[in-house]
Amino acid sequence: MQRMNAATARRIALAAQGFGKRRPAKPNRRAVLDVVARTRLLQLDSVSAVVRAHYAPVFSRIGPYDRSLLEGAAWSDSPRARRGLVEYWAHEAALIPVADWPLMRWRMAEYQNGRWSGMRKVVERNPTLGKDILDVVTEVGAASAGEIERHLELDKPRPKGTWWNLSDTKMICEQLFAAGELSIARRSGFTRLYDLTERVVPADVRDRDITEDDAVRELLRRSSRALGIGTETDLRDYYRLNRRQTAPAIADLVDAGELIPVDVDGWDTPAYLHPEASTPRKITGAALLCPFDPLIFFRPRTQRIFDFHYRIEIYTPEPKRVHGYYVFPFLLDGRLVGRVDLRAERGSGRLLAPGAFAEPGYATAETADALRGALREMADWLELDDVVVGERGDLAPLL
């Protein structure tokens, strides 16, 4: 087994995720899709405190870009610009390359009756609703759950106090999406518009038949390339696989020379290196990372690689929050040197930073200068006039 020091492993991980590269002068659609070619997925999340989660990782890697480029790649399709990304349950709900859709067929089979028991109960008490929904979508085209419900004349008051207050129609739409019968043609705001998968995913992609074992091996190849180096749990978490699947698949990939076992100093478990991973001598540059960035969304890996304890505090009562509601770690020259609580106040045109906190040894003028520039760049990208820094944290007075 090869040995490697932790600093080298960290640089490999950052390079694999697209950090340390020269930014394009004027990011275009190709530059946006190149980011996803590296990360393989962009997690979707409904929180819009600053910007929706899928936009932020692209900004972190290539700088200010036109968000409509990502929207066009994911939610539009024309002869001149074919759809490049499609939604499915990858890490969580995520945008993935269209070509990767068949790799999720085994998961679609698992989700034939929904992703969780509550959804299955809705299927059981509405045995014909799925067919009715498919009939409506076939006739009218892409539609939201609310629009489908109105076509079915099921628009009636929802029971109070239910989780997300979802209607049965919405639940069955989600079940059909999870099962691969519906896909997301586009979004209106953040509302999904469902359409028949045959109208969203090209026939040559849909027709690819991949067994679960082959798909798992291929997903591990993708996660290994996206991570550069990672433990078994790192590789498994990227696509939310389970150990039953990954243990034999990793053994096969090691035997084939497609994963190289590595012992990293300070890591408490063996790691696997992608044989084509680059090892830069240094990583430079600054980036604000949203909580759902693929570099940091698996918190044990973030702790292991960066010695950075990070937990999202959205669901923590405000008096008990340590750093804030929606906190972005700050990456500077290959290290996570701080974190900043951020909020986009669009009505007043302000990017609010109520708190800014340094990691030990980084409460310096240099860190503050770099963070100030990153905040200004983000504000400009979001078309906000002012950056307003609060009083919490040891970086706040330096900012």
Side-chain angles (χ1 to χ4, degrees):
M1 181 178 290
Q2 294 187 18
R3 291 196 63 85
M4 181 182 296
N5 65 52
T8 299
R10 184 171 59 249
R11 293 196 303 274
I12 290 172
L14 285 161
Q17 282 280 309
F19 291 98
K21 294 181 63 182
R22 179 178 296 178
R23 290 176 168 186
K26 188 176 181 181
N28 55 17
R29 177 187 168 105
R30 182 71 266 160
V32 170
L33 289 174
D34 282 347
V35 171
V36 190
R38 282 184 171 273
T39 66
R40 304 310 304 182
L41 54 84
L42 296 173
Q43 187 172 338
L44 295 157
D45 190 82
S46 61
V47 177
S48 58
V50 179
V51 65
R52 301 282 187 191
H54 53 289
Y55 296 113
V58 180
F59 168 73
S60 299
R61 288 156 177 77
I62 64 174
Y65 72 101
D66 184 345
R67 279 170 281 169
S68 69
L69 295 171
L70 180 57
E71 293 164 1
W75 297 303
S76 69
D77 196 21
S78 70
R80 293 186 60 187
R82 306 307 304 183
R83 188 188 306 273
L85 306 173
V86 67
E87 293 189 36
Y88 194 65
W89 296 99
H91 180 73
E92 290 289 332
L95 294 172
I96 60 175
V98 170
D100 288 1
W101 187 88
L103 297 174
M104 299 295 173
R105 279 193 177 278
W106 61 271
R107 181 166 283 165
M108 296 170 194
E110 286 187 355
Y111 290 165
Q112 277 300 310
N113 294 314
R115 297 177 51 242
W116 38 281
S117 60
M119 193 176 287
R120 287 190 283 274
K121 291 176 182 177
V122 176
V123 174
E124 289 168 3
R125 71 170 178 258
N126 295 280
T128 65
L129 184 53
K131 181 181 182 304
D132 294 340
I133 289 170
L134 290 172
D135 287 345
V136 168
V137 173
T138 299
E139 180 181 349
V140 306
S144 69
E147 291 167 340
I148 293 169
E149 192 166 58
R150 285 189 285 277
H151 278 280
L152 293 171
E153 298 182 348
L154 295 175
D155 193 11
K156 50 185 176 287
R158 314 279 193 270
K160 297 294 183 184
T162 54
W163 184 55
W164 283 353
N165 214 13
L166 293 178
S167 70
D168 283 4
T169 303
K170 172 65 175 176
M171 295 274 272
I172 299 295
C173 285
E174 283 296 298
Q175 176 261 322
L176 293 168
F177 168 57
E181 296 185 64
L182 292 178
S183 290
I184 310 306
R186 59 185 187 276
R187 284 183 179 249
S188 176
F190 200 63
T191 300
R192 283 171 166 162
L193 272 65
Y194 304 91
D195 204 347
L196 301 178
T197 294
E198 65 194 58
R199 295 175 182 163
V200 176
V201 180
D204 61 324
V205 176
R206 290 196 321 276
D207 292 344
R208 288 176 58 204
D209 188 16
I210 304 175
T211 67
E212 179 176 342
D213 288 347
D214 287 344
V216 168
R217 278 191 292 271
E218 190 57 41
L219 290 171
L220 287 170
R221 291 185 186 100
R222 280 158 164 68
S223 62
S224 173
R225 185 180 293 275
L227 295 172
I229 186 170
T231 65
E232 184 270 338
T233 54
D234 295 341
L235 297 175
R236 172 164 32 112
D237 178 77
Y238 209 75
Y239 287 101
R240 293 293 166 89
L241 305 171
N242 63 58
R243 188 175 179 84
R244 170 190 62 79
Q245 296 170 303
T246 57
I250 287 176
D252 289 346
L253 293 172
V254 169
D255 287 345
E258 296 183 70
L259 290 177
I260 301 170
V262 179
D263 190 8
V264 180
D265 295 342
W267 291 22
D268 58 2
T269 188
Y272 299 92
L273 175 70
H274 191 282
E276 297 176 10
S278 64
T279 309
R281 296 180 61 183
K282 63 180 180 178
I283 297 285
T284 59
L288 289 161
L289 306 175
C290 89
F292 303 105
D293 191 291
L295 180 69
I296 58 168
F297 59 29
F298 188 43
R299 311 306 187 209
R301 176 176 171 83
T302 305
Q303 178 84 52
R304 187 186 318 114
I305 291 182
F306 296 102
D307 192 23
F308 188 88
H309 180 79
Y310 181 52
R311 297 292 183 272
I312 193 166
E313 297 181 274
I314 290 174
Y315 305 109
T316 303
E318 186 172 0
K320 295 184 178 181
R321 290 176 192 149
V322 177
H323 298 108
Y325 176 78
Y326 204 62
V327 174
F328 280 56
F330 181 48
L331 177 70
L332 180 62
D333 295 340
R335 293 182 178 272
L336 293 180
V337 300
R339 61 192 91 199
V340 55
D341 186 21
L342 290 178
R343 210 87 70 251
E345 196 176 73
R346 294 169 180 84
S348 64
R350 302 189 302 171
L351 180 64
L352 307 180
F357 309 82
E359 288 298 283
Y362 288 100
T364 65
E366 291 77 13
T367 302
D369 284 345
L371 179 54
R372 186 182 299 112
L375 290 170
R376 183 66 262 170
E377 182 179 58
M378 174 175 276
D380 291 343
W381 176 53
L382 298 176
E383 299 180 317
L384 301 172
D385 298 322
D386 300 317
V387 178
V388 181
V389 179
E391 298 179 351
R392 294 190 302 106
D394 49 0
L395 276 179
L398 294 172
L399 287 172

